[in-house]
Amino acid sequence: MFTVAIIGASGLLGRAVIDELAREHDWRVIPTAFRRTAAHMISLDIRDAGAVAQFVEREAPDAIVIAAAERRPDVCELEPLQARALNVDAVRTVATAANRVGAWTLSISTDYVFDGTRPPYRCDDSPSPINAYGRSKEEGERALLDTARKGCVLRLPLLYGPIVDWQESAVTSLVPAIAASADAASAVMDAWAIRYPTYTPDVAFVIKQLLTRHSRGEGICGIAQWSGDEPMTKHDIAVRLADALQLNANLIRQTTPVDSTPRPRDCHLDSSRLESLGIGRRTSFDVAIRQILTKFPWNRDIET
């Protein structure tokens, strides 16, 4: 029986991974969560080294996927120690525990480890983060690679997918403003930074492919990257959301960034390492966003 522990199983990506792995009937999947622990999940705070060591020793997984992180750039900027505890120290803690049972560890990182000036970025390009979030994730990458005897970092860009609330993704977080603009003032969206929205069920499929290779003794180590292939500014995303919502996209105006936290211009990740191995799947944004909105109607829980 191949056993996989999913750290952060209640989050946006973690739920997609659990759903994908549920199709593998001969695998044992152990989901953990901290703040939103469901009945079938184990409560685990990965900042607690003792609790992590006990969990890993007890369950003895063959592989561990770390999908938990502090991913909000503004929070990382304001509370760098909190970000480091989750994005760096906890990664090292999990990797250390994984070594004791011989588990392969997959840690999720971000395109924000790059400064966005020279895309596309390959796996072996030198990181150059420009904000606290990117710096914490770069340190987390080093923590994983320096600690784990069998470990892989998977860098991902902006994620979106099935949600439990609009704010779970920077993509769906735009919906309330777009919906409000249908009745009132225009929505104003950044048209400067270029992102590559990537669908969490596709990422979950990639992670399953990586786990499958490891289960066959062909585990991938080092750094890998996966990304959607449709470049969009926040304004572009908002327009396509408005089309999907059948709202007036002409009410959405363009602007330049006003965020206090610096963000890179274009951190397009080169996915060729995984593509060369036959790993990957991409769902078009327009198809994916309609799947999300079918399950989570646009007028749900929105105050206008």
Side-chain angles (χ1 to χ4, degrees):
M1 179 72 69
F2 183 66
T3 302
V4 184
I6 309 299
I7 307 294
S10 64
L12 180 70
L13 177 58
R15 294 195 310 274
V17 173
I18 292 296
D19 288 346
E20 182 63 44
L21 299 191
R23 304 175 191 185
E24 298 298 314
H25 300 298
D26 55 345
W27 288 13
R28 176 175 172 243
V29 179
I30 308 167
T32 81
F34 179 52
R35 289 192 179 87
R36 295 186 298 192
T37 307
H40 66 289
M41 296 179 182
I42 294 174
S43 178
L44 180 66
D45 183 352
I46 58 171
R47 296 168 298 184
D48 183 338
V52 170
Q54 290 176 6
F55 165 76
V56 173
E57 183 177 353
R58 182 181 69 247
E59 303 296 343
D62 298 291
I64 302 174
V65 177
I66 307 174
E70 177 51 73
R71 60 176 179 78
R72 296 167 294 179
D74 293 335
V75 171
C76 292
E77 210 71 29
L78 294 172
E79 301 180 39
L81 294 180
Q82 173 182 310
R84 181 182 176 83
L86 198 54
N87 294 351
V88 184
D89 299 336
V91 171
R92 184 179 293 107
T93 293
V94 173
T96 299
N99 286 342
R100 297 193 186 105
V101 298
W104 177 77
T105 307
L106 177 69
S107 182
I108 304 302
S109 190
T110 174
D111 58 347
Y112 269 31
V113 298
F114 297 113
D115 62 14
T117 61
R118 295 185 177 181
Y121 291 94
R122 296 179 60 85
C123 295
D124 56 357
D125 286 335
S126 297
S128 52
I130 62 173
N131 58 31
Y133 171 58
R135 288 190 291 273
S136 73
K137 295 301 283 185
E138 180 196 4
E139 289 184 56
E141 291 184 1
R142 292 203 304 268
L144 187 284
L145 297 175
D146 289 347
T147 305
R149 297 193 189 100
K150 294 184 291 185
C152 179
V153 168
L154 178 61
R155 291 179 182 145
L156 302 170
L158 172 65
L159 298 181
Y160 71 104
I163 54 174
V164 296
D165 65 68
W166 296 112
Q167 300 304 317
E168 273 205 299
S169 164
V171 170
T172 54
S173 69
L174 304 181
V175 170
I178 296 168
S181 73
D183 300 316
S186 299
V188 180
M189 300 288 173
D190 168 31
W192 179 79
I194 299 170
R195 307 300 300 274
Y196 292 79
T198 302
Y199 193 38
T200 53
D202 290 343
V203 177
F205 184 75
V206 167
I207 290 173
K208 184 177 75 174
Q209 288 179 300
L210 290 169
L211 288 165
T212 299
R213 287 183 65 93
H214 174 64
S215 73
R216 299 196 306 248
E218 303 169 359
I220 293 174
C221 293
I223 295 175
Q225 300 179 160
W226 186 254
S227 174
D229 59 359
E230 298 175 80
M232 300 181 216
T233 64
K234 184 181 287 188
H235 179 267
D236 295 332
I237 293 170
V239 167
R240 292 170 77 162
L241 281 169
D243 289 341
L245 297 165
Q246 298 184 319
L247 298 174
N248 186 359
N250 293 325
L251 294 175
I252 303 170
R253 295 188 291 113
Q254 300 185 26
T255 188
T256 52
V258 294
D259 300 311
S260 58
T261 301
R263 284 168 166 77
R265 176 71 183 274
D266 183 353
C267 292
H268 187 203
L269 297 173
D270 178 283
S271 304
S272 59
R273 182 184 183 194
L274 295 185
E275 288 170 335
S276 68
L277 297 170
I279 292 174
R281 187 182 76 188
R282 293 185 176 95
T283 303
S284 75
F285 182 84
D286 293 333
V287 169
I289 204 65
R290 282 169 171 78
Q291 291 176 356
I292 295 167
L293 295 173
T294 296
K295 296 179 180 178
F296 204 86
W298 73 269
N299 56 354
R300 173 177 175 174
D301 299 330
I302 293 180
E303 295 181 2
T304 60

